[in-house]
Amino acid sequence: MGAPHTYSYDVLIVGAGGAGLRAAIEAASAGVSVGLICKSLLGKAHTVMAEGGMAAAMGHNDDRDNWQVHFADTMRGGQYVNNWRMAELHAREAPDRVRELEAWGAVFDRTPDGRINQRNFGGHRYPRLAHVGDRTGLELIRTLQDHTIHLGVTVHMEYTVIDLLLDDGQVSGVLAYDRERGRFYAFAAKAVVLATGGVGRAFKITSNSWEGTGDGHALAYRAGAELIDMEFVQFHPTGMVWPPSVKGILVTEGVRGEGGVLKNSEGRRFMFDDIPENYRPQTASDAEEGWRYTQGDKSARRPPELLTRDHVARCIRREVRAGRGSPHGGVFLDIAWIKEKLPGAADHIRRKLPSMYHQFKELADLDITREPMEVGPTTHYIMGGIRVDADTQASTIPGLFAAGECAAGINGANRLGGNSLSDLIVFGKRAGEYAAAHARSRVAPRLDEQAIAEATGAALAPFERGGSGENPYTVQQDLQETMQDLVGIVRVETEMQDALTRLDALNARAARSGVEGHREYHTGWHACLDLRNLLTVSEAITRSALERRESRGGHFRDDYPEKSAEYGAFNIAVHRDPGGTMHVARRPIPAMPAELTSIVEDQKQ
Amino acid sequence: MAKATFRLWRGGTHQPGAFVDYATEVSEGMVVLDAVHRIQAEQAPDLACRWNCKAGKCGSCSAEINGRPKLMCMTRLNTLDLAEPVTVEPMRAFPLLKDLVTDVSINFRIKPGIRKFAPRTPDAADGTWRMAQRDVDRVQEFRKCIECYLCQDVCHVIRDHAKHEDGFIGPRFLVYAAALEMHPLDTGDRLGDLKDRHGLGYCNITKCCTTVCPEHIHITDNAIIPLKERVVDRYYDPVTRLLRMFRG
């Protein structure tokens, strides 16, 4: 085994999506040494797949928009269990963060008067999403990546973090291995920022890449940090459902923002059948008004297709269950119909949604300018994550910070589309800033040699078990089936208890997983290591979902279908107690200050 | 379910490489990457391949399929002759790491050598700029690039002459330079670098890069040729050279 190679940085950032890169830029700009670890090549993180846009109340397309409206929309979408301070900071700071991207070279779509163009999206009262066609994530990640490479940040590509290292209760660095050679490396760091994204790979149908295995969530949990809101998983209403190999790949909400409508097999726009009470005043009364809204008519209200994702996903599931679905188990999403309204509609669709046009043409042999798409829910995002301080993004462990999807709070029970990309840059910046300040205040940490040796040994155990061990791919597939079937869009006590039993068995199988061969770029070995994190987050999701005996946002309980005021007063947290078992607790939500309360009340009309 | 044979390149630093045939089940709508994943899960757990998005958006799964540089995730099986084995091998222009994975790190070393974006002074008092959609359209074509490096892989200046080790940045980075040069806000000047340090002159417009670009960027016509024209106008046009002599 031998002693691992060692690197040392003031601030170490784990993850190079939008949040990680933005944190790296901020920390490097503060003059500290910065290391950046990413599991894939630079620029390939899941952020690259984001499509629709980033939400920021700049008011370019509708001057009635401002941070207060954005804040109220975020809180309403999150069913008021959000960390209100994070929602406030996000709404206030997102416009500056977006404008900053332009100063670094991002090229957004423009309004007729030359400003950044903003589009409609689900749950946002006004057009708010700065975008580049439907490839906004690519623009975001490339802009940040190209800015970072000139700042002296050291990037370790294709490295995976195995464990956080602690020194006297504080974070002192991480243990990682490189994919290429399979060698172990210890990174000493005065502050660590986790920006590892989500947990989608715990489910069978997901829009997430292989990297979304909940690494940051699990690393922080094992080190003793608290996770909150883990029951809130977002199932995006529109993923591809056909052909089978592309099941789960995202179809941007931008399709609906541009006028796309959802229909069942009877041709009915079923979203008009079920409009939640708290959105009724803001929702169009008929198809014509909805169309006018998507075309920028300020007097019109939003079509019901642009209600929040949790609601749209459940409506789609209801239609499919009732036998009114499309041939392949989804519903129809139709943007081609706008040719009735617009001359040159086909060109318009191709210009506004080039990536979707290309995706369906290449992968499904379907021309979205002529035919409706088939779509159904796909696991997309987790609102839950590492509990952090709103202003500093510091976790409950000194020296450990988290930002982006792996941090929790801003989204509450349901995230609004477009709020993720702006969350990445708002809180990525803050995490980088406060991590740098923390690093300056600390002496160089010590690395715990014994912990490194133990973790290295555990990571190599699959080779000792060899080819006679469990196939890690099979264990992962079975885990995904379990979570998809038993802790999915609709949940019920008995099924979730069953899931816990199965997770125990899967844990035992994962501990028996084995591989043979050498360590270099050994995907099977990496799958063994991913299992530990996937199982941890799966258990956290299931236990939190059992504890929340009501339905709210992305969490829907068939046995408790109503929202309950009692459960609106706290977040559910999990942490690891000293014996190693998962402890579930309730954390009361502090009262909102009067200023924010009045904003929320004013916006309820 | 039908079966098909995939002839995958196996090998790395530990053993001499060779093609290995794997028969696996295929179904409607599958792409090459699905087949590779199935082989990985059922027959070859240590098979190395890169991938991320599976939707043609990240540019991770570049390979040579039946000798053509392509993304594995965007190559549908119904476009291939499955009566014959489907050959999948790593990009040939880059050093092999293992199986289907190559060392593309040179691309990450080239990029910082290109002068970075330098915007003009903001147009408005609030520190923002104004740009027309038609001006950003041109740059957005180049910014669609997903950095799959298939254009680098197929460019004969790199593939046959390894000039990327010797000052030729290659089509991906000529597109990158064009995106900066044609950026409505940029004030930087990269023409001297393109002529002297970035090897623009090596490109002799065979258009292979354009042919393989999965994002359908008109690399040669819209990026490289305009850059060449700018260099020629400045450095080789006799009239401008004469004027420069007088102006000093």
Side-chain angles (χ1 to χ4, degrees):
Chain A
M1 230 179 300
H5 311 264
T6 306
Y7 290 101
S8 181
Y9 297 103
D10 290 329
V11 174
L12 179 70
I13 290 151
V14 184
L21 284 166
R22 189 61 190 80
I25 289 167
E26 201 62 21
S29 304
V32 299
S33 67
V34 181
L36 180 64
I37 290 179
C38 48
K39 237 171 24 164
S40 285
L41 298 174
L42 188 61
K44 309 298 186 196
H46 191 60
T47 304
V48 82
M49 290 188 67
E51 291 159 357
M54 51 189 100
M58 297 188 287
H60 290 177
N61 295 55
D62 192 324
D63 54 14
R64 291 172 297 180
D65 201 13
N66 55 45
W67 80 261
Q68 290 94 336
V69 187
H70 190 182
F71 166 76
D73 284 350
T74 301
M75 293 300 292
R76 185 191 298 109
Q79 310 270 358
Y80 304 104
V81 292
N82 322 47
N83 177 325
W84 44 259
R85 175 65 181 158
M86 275 177 92
E88 178 196 359
L89 288 169
H90 169 253
R92 281 180 184 269
E93 294 175 3
D96 281 347
R97 297 288 80 78
V98 172
R99 285 192 275 265
E100 194 171 58
L101 293 172
E102 192 154 85
W104 296 340
V107 186
F108 293 102
D109 286 355
R110 317 308 295 180
T111 58
D113 66 351
R115 296 184 298 171
I116 293 171
N117 194 16
Q118 300 188 267
R119 72 158 38 120
N120 287 308
F121 234 58
H124 293 282
R125 176 170 280 211
Y126 302 119
R128 192 178 282 149
L129 267 70
H131 62 278
V132 184
D134 52 4
R135 56 162 196 84
T136 314
L138 172 63
E139 191 68 21
L140 172 66
I141 201 164
R142 199 68 79 231
T143 301
L144 295 174
Q145 171 190 342
D146 294 349
H147 193 69
T148 302
I149 59 174
H150 296 286
L151 295 176
V153 173
T154 309
V155 183
H156 300 271
M157 290 185 222
E158 297 194 311
Y159 277 57
T160 302
V161 173
I162 297 173
D163 268 317
L164 291 172
L165 301 170
L166 298 173
D167 174 20
D168 197 22
Q170 290 198 68
V171 162
S172 59
V174 308
L175 175 69
Y177 71 91
D178 76 314
R179 223 170 161 72
E180 184 183 326
R181 295 266 175 260
R183 291 185 187 136
F184 294 94
Y185 293 82
F187 288 77
K190 295 176 186 171
V192 171
V193 179
L194 294 174
T196 54
V199 307
R201 299 305 288 184
F203 293 82
K204 187 177 166 192
I205 299 168
T206 178
S207 65
N208 290 194
S209 88
W210 67 272
E211 296 187 287
T213 49
D215 296 10
H217 293 76
L219 290 166
Y221 170 82
R222 285 200 299 271
E226 205 167 76
L227 307 180
I228 59 163
D229 291 344
M230 291 299 285
E231 69 276 29
F232 295 127
V233 176
Q234 180 168 85
F235 299 94
H236 192 291
T238 60
M240 289 176 82
V241 296
W242 183 259
S245 73
V246 298
K247 207 168 180 160
I249 290 177
L250 199 66
V251 180
T252 176
E253 201 163 311
V255 175
R256 284 167 284 146
E258 299 295 343
V261 298
L262 291 165
K263 291 179 180 168
N264 62 18
S265 59
E266 297 162 2
R268 182 178 172 77
R269 274 183 76 176
F270 56 87
M271 289 304 301
F272 274 108
D273 301 342
D274 181 5
I275 296 163
E277 195 59 50
N278 57 342
Y279 281 96
R280 213 156 279 175
Q282 301 181 13
T283 307
S285 56
D286 57 30
E288 187 55 35
E289 186 183 3
W291 166 251
R292 291 204 326 269
Y293 175 91
T294 64
Q295 298 313 294
D297 181 340
K298 290 185 185 178
S299 67
R301 293 167 300 172
R302 73 168 70 112
E305 278 84 1
L306 290 178
L307 287 163
T308 54
R309 289 174 173 178
D310 52 339
H311 177 74
V312 180
R314 278 194 297 276
C315 289
I316 290 174
R317 187 177 179 275
R318 183 194 63 216
E319 293 302 307
V320 174
R321 287 278 162 120
R324 296 188 294 267
S326 67
H328 300 109
V331 293
F332 295 107
L333 172 61
D334 187 4
I335 184 80
W337 81 276
I338 69 171
K339 58 180 173 282
E340 299 165 22
K341 298 281 185 184
L342 279 181
D347 283 342
H348 175 81
I349 293 166
R350 278 193 292 267
R351 195 163 36 96
K352 287 285 187 181
L353 302 162
S355 191
M356 286 304 100
Y357 176 77
H358 180 240
Q359 186 171 303
F360 274 89
K361 198 94 184 117
E362 303 265 335
L363 293 174
D365 269 341
L366 188 141
D367 181 347
I368 66 169
T369 68
R370 293 165 176 271
E371 300 170 78
M373 297 156 254
E374 284 188 66
V375 295
T378 179
T379 311
H380 183 53
Y381 186 88
I382 185 157
M383 278 65 78
I386 301 156
R387 187 178 182 193
V388 290
D389 173 77
D391 289 74
T392 65
Q393 298 291 288
S395 75
T396 47
I397 299 175
L400 182 67
F401 298 78
E405 190 174 356
C406 72
I410 177 188
N411 298 304
N414 172 62
R415 174 174 73 78
L416 297 186
N419 268 4
S420 176
L421 291 190
S422 40
D423 161 29
L424 304 183
I425 48 181
V426 166
F427 294 109
K429 175 196 181 285
R430 283 182 163 266
E433 180 184 344
Y434 287 94
H438 181 88
R440 279 213 199 82
S441 70
R442 265 185 86 179
V443 295
R446 289 172 309 151
L447 288 175
D448 183 342
E449 296 297 337
Q450 193 187 338
I452 290 170
E454 283 171 15
T456 306
L460 289 171
F463 285 107
E464 288 165 23
R465 291 187 288 267
S468 58
E470 283 266 2
N471 179 338
Y473 296 104
T474 313
V475 180
Q476 186 170 346
Q477 282 164 7
D478 292 349
L479 168 67
Q480 290 171 338
E481 299 266 356
T482 299
M483 292 302 287
Q484 188 77 37
D485 295 346
L486 303 177
V487 201
I489 298 183
V490 173
R491 298 161 174 176
V492 64
E493 177 103 20
T494 50
E495 289 185 351
M496 289 192 285
Q497 292 292 2
D498 184 18
L500 284 179
T501 310
R502 292 185 192 206
L503 287 174
D504 273 345
L506 286 161
N507 260 308
R509 286 173 62 195
R512 291 195 303 269
S513 62
V515 290
E516 51 195 356
H518 57 81
R519 288 195 229 163
E520 294 186 355
Y521 224 110
H522 194 313
T523 37
W525 177 42
H526 307 162
C528 292
L529 300 179
D530 285 343
L531 281 173
R532 186 169 64 146
N533 296 339
L534 281 168
L535 284 157
T536 300
V537 295
S538 298
E539 185 185 350
I541 292 167
T542 311
R543 288 195 188 279
S544 303
L546 275 164
E547 179 70 13
R548 186 168 285 280
R549 294 178 185 86
E550 63 151 359
S551 292
R552 184 182 293 266
H555 169 72
F556 185 82
R557 292 273 306 248
D558 223 4
D559 43 359
Y560 299 97
E562 299 303 320
K563 193 158 58 176
S564 119
E566 178 203 345
Y567 281 85
F570 54 82
N571 298 110
I572 288 164
V574 299
H575 68 267
R576 189 170 182 267
D577 56 28
T581 54
M582 191 174 282
H583 183 82
V584 182
R586 297 178 174 189
R587 299 276 177 252
I589 297 170
M592 223 190 292
E595 181 208 0
L596 298 182
T597 309
S598 68
I599 292 170
V600 166
E601 292 305 319
D602 290 350
Q603 293 295 330
K604 279 192 171 165
Q605 305 316 312
Chain B
M1 220 180 241
K3 277 214 164 193
T5 300
F6 292 83
R7 184 162 289 171
L8 308 184
W9 183 261
R10 300 299 312 269
T13 50
H14 281 272
Q15 68 269 48
F19 281 110
V20 178
D21 283 7
Y22 297 92
T24 190
E25 288 179 340
V26 295
S27 55
E28 190 182 359
M30 267 175 77
V31 293
V32 169
L33 186 61
D34 293 319
V36 168
H37 282 160
R38 185 165 272 181
I39 291 162
Q40 216 175 29
E42 294 170 1
Q43 303 176 55
D46 62 338
L47 172 65
C49 96
R50 281 194 184 107
W51 72 283
N52 276 293
C53 76
K54 224 177 151 289
K57 292 185 172 71
C58 76
S60 298
C61 63
S62 307
E64 299 193 8
I65 298 163
N66 288 344
R68 312 281 299 178
K70 281 175 172 286
L71 296 176
M72 288 189 263
C73 73
M74 297 305 276
T75 307
R76 294 182 63 184
L77 297 186
N78 64 3
T79 64
L80 303 169
D81 176 10
L82 297 183
E84 297 292 320
V86 176
T87 304
V88 187
E89 55 191 310
M91 289 189 285
R92 292 190 194 189
F94 300 108
L96 179 69
L97 287 179
K98 185 184 160 191
D99 303 338
L100 304 178
V101 175
T102 52
D103 177 359
V104 293
S105 59
I106 187 159
N107 297 296
F108 292 94
R109 292 196 296 276
I110 288 171
K111 202 187 231 182
I114 296 165
R115 277 169 207 261
K116 67 180 184 187
F117 176 67
R120 68 175 185 237
T121 315
D123 302 329
D126 64 358
T128 60
W129 289 271
R130 301 289 177 269
M131 290 183 253
Q133 185 65 44
R134 67 174 177 280
D135 291 331
V136 306
D137 281 345
R138 179 160 72 158
V139 192
Q140 284 184 346
E141 183 197 359
F142 305 145
R143 293 185 67 87
K144 279 197 306 188
C145 168
I146 55 175
E147 297 195 332
C148 65
Y149 307 126
L150 288 172
C151 59
Q152 305 284 87
D153 178 46
V154 81
C155 175
H156 61 273
V157 181
I158 294 171
R159 199 178 177 102
D160 301 333
H161 305 283
K163 284 291 183 188
H164 55 322
E165 304 282 1
D166 182 25
F168 177 61
I169 58 175
R172 157 57 192 139
F173 298 102
L174 292 171
V175 166
Y176 181 67
L180 290 164
E181 284 292 295
M182 300 179 198
H183 194 300
L185 304 185
D186 184 68
T187 58
D189 183 346
R190 298 163 191 83
L191 292 187
D193 287 347
L194 284 161
K195 172 170 122 9
D196 300 325
R197 294 201 302 121
H198 298 332
L200 177 64
Y202 281 125
C203 166
N204 61 345
I205 312 187
T206 57
K207 296 198 178 184
C208 307
C209 52
T210 305
T211 308
V212 301
C213 177
E215 284 292 304
H216 309 297
I217 301 169
H218 298 278
I219 299 173
T220 320
D221 290 351
N222 291 354
I224 297 178
I225 291 174
L227 289 178
K228 281 177 175 278
E229 286 170 342
R230 290 174 186 212
V231 167
V232 167
D233 282 352
R234 179 181 299 178
Y235 294 101
Y236 300 104
D237 176 25
V239 177
T240 32
R241 287 184 71 178
L242 199 64
L243 282 172
R244 253 209 319 274
M245 279 169 63
F246 286 116
R247 286 182 186 155

